């Protein structure tokens, strides 16, 4: 069996069993552990699985940790800026838009300060500070409890407020995106807030950098069919892009060079 055939079979086993270990693979393929560990390392570099001690996990079964806002500010920054530029075309002058809290939506917010008369509703404190000086934006900050280390409001007061407003468009960013299970976040209260935002918007758009695709967190808040549009960066794997486009949403792929 050629190396490529062996690696394709390893991926098939992962899709079926969700995890494999090297000893099991040695019995199946009758090659050395060193050869199989090299296969697993190469497949991980291609973004097709995640290595573990002694084996591998199917990528969609990998749980996404919740980084603090300080950690997220520097992660995949160029990808987030590109996604923000791409998402800008979905916004028209006069729109009322909801901006979910996050570093990707912050990059979109930075592009809204000039040239568009908008109403912006957000629970994100850095977004509010970014937009508060713009004369062309009517800014509404969602009240509620402040989530420590995440620079946003949340809780019952925030959800109650959202039930009284209506937005043309919502732009949100998940912590994780499973192509089979949908968009998710580790915190159950934040999942509830995102659902409330979705109920308050006529159209829902997702901004998601490619590092989140193929991962999941504890609380799923939306299926892919609930989004009118999804903006991702060009780091997305072709297989993932094909699956994403089959879900029916308009998919924009942001180039880092634009």
């Amino acid at each position: 069996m050629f190396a490529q055939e062996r690696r394709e079979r390893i991926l098939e086993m992962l899709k079926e069993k969700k995890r494999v270990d090297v000893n099991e693979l040695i019995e199946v393929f009758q090659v050395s552990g060193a050869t199989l560990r090299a296969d697993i390392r190469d497949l991980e570099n291609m973004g097709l699985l995640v290595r573990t001690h002694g084996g591998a996990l199917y990528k969609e079964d990998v749980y996404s940790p919740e980084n603090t806002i300080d950690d997220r500010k520097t992660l995949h920054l160029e990808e987030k800026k590109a996604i923000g530029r791409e998402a800008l075309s979905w916004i028209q002058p006069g729109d009322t838009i909801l901006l979910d809290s996050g570093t990707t939506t912050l990059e979109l917010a930075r592009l809204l300060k000039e040239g568009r008369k908008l109403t912006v509703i957000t629970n994100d404190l850095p977004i509010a500070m970014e937009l508060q000086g713009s004369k062309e934006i009517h800014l509404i900050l969602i009240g509620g409890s402040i989530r420590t280390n995440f620079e946003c409001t949340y809780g019952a007061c925030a959800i109650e407020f959202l039930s009284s407003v209506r937005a043309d468009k919502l732009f949100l960013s998940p912590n994780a995106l499973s192509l089979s299970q949908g968009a998710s976040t580790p915190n159950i209260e934040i999942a509830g807030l995102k659902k409330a935002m979705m109920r308050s918007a006529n159209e829902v758009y997702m901004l998601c950098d490619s590092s989140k695709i193929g991962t999941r967190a504890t609380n799923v808040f939306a299926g892919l069919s609930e989004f009118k549009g999804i903006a991702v960066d060009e780091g997305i794997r072709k297989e993932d892009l094909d699956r994403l486009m089959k879900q029916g949403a308009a998919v924009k792929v942001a180039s880092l060079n634009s």
Side-chain angles (χ1 to χ4, degrees), residues 6-254:
R6 187 174 60 247
R7 291 170 185 177
E8 288 175 359
R9 178 58 184 146
I10 290 172
L11 292 175
E12 289 174 4
M13 292 174 66
L14 276 172
K15 288 180 181 179
E16 294 169 3
K17 303 176 66 174
K18 306 304 181 186
R19 64 174 63 229
V20 296
D21 63 63
V22 171
N23 290 333
E24 176 187 12
L25 296 176
I26 289 172
E27 291 185 12
V28 172
F29 297 107
Q30 297 296 301
V31 295
S32 70
T35 296
L36 289 164
R37 282 188 284 273
D39 287 339
I40 289 172
R41 182 179 61 249
D42 290 342
L43 289 169
E44 183 185 49
N45 290 338
M46 296 167 63
L48 299 176
L49 55 73
V50 174
R51 277 190 297 170
T52 63
H53 181 69
L57 290 173
Y58 183 51
K59 193 171 182 182
E60 282 194 2
D61 271 356
V62 176
Y63 280 83
S64 173
E66 186 172 30
N67 296 314
T68 65
I69 193 70
D70 286 337
D71 293 331
R72 284 184 278 159
K73 283 176 180 176
T74 56
L75 287 173
H76 309 291
L77 183 58
E78 293 307 312
E79 288 85 351
K80 292 170 183 178
K81 288 180 179 180
I83 289 169
R85 292 192 297 269
E86 199 67 39
L88 195 62
S89 63
W90 282 322
I91 298 174
Q92 303 301 320
D95 277 347
T96 295
I97 65 171
L98 261 167
L99 290 182
D100 179 29
S101 180
T103 50
T104 309
T105 47
L106 175 60
E107 293 305 323
L108 173 60
R110 287 179 168 139
L111 302 173
L112 300 178
K113 291 189 290 184
E114 303 295 338
R116 297 165 187 260
K117 291 189 176 181
L118 301 168
T119 296
V120 177
I121 307 167
T122 187
N123 70 321
D124 187 276
L125 302 182
I127 288 176
M129 292 303 297
E130 187 74 29
L131 298 179
Q132 58 85 28
S134 175
K135 296 180 180 179
E136 296 186 326
I137 291 178
H138 177 212
L139 177 64
I140 300 172
L141 179 63
I142 299 170
S145 300
I146 300 294
R147 191 170 181 222
T148 305
N149 296 325
F150 290 90
E151 298 180 353
C152 67
T153 61
Y154 75 117
C157 290
I159 291 175
E160 182 177 359
F161 172 79
L162 285 165
S163 69
S164 68
V165 299
R166 196 72 193 171
D168 298 304
K169 294 156 188 173
L170 163 65
F171 294 87
L172 61 75
S173 183
N175 292 81
L177 180 63
S178 165
L179 297 178
S180 59
Q181 297 187 7
S184 58
T185 184
N187 185 282
I188 192 169
E189 291 186 275
I190 297 301
L193 182 64
K194 290 179 187 290
K195 289 178 181 178
M197 286 182 170
M198 293 178 73
R199 290 193 295 270
S200 296
N202 294 333
E203 299 174 359
V204 182
Y205 297 87
M206 184 198 304
L207 311 183
C208 184
D209 73 75
S210 58
S211 71
K212 299 176 180 178
I213 299 173
T215 67
R216 58 177 172 166
T218 310
N219 302 283
V220 176
F221 62 85
L224 289 173
S225 63
E226 298 179 67
F227 295 92
K228 184 177 178 65
I230 301 172
V232 298
D233 63 84
E234 62 187 1
I236 186 172
R237 295 189 306 136
K238 183 181 184 303
E239 301 95 313
D240 291 340
L241 180 59
D242 291 343
R243 289 182 64 186
L244 203 57
M245 295 179 73
K246 289 178 181 177
Q247 300 295 326
V251 179
K252 291 181 177 289
V253 179

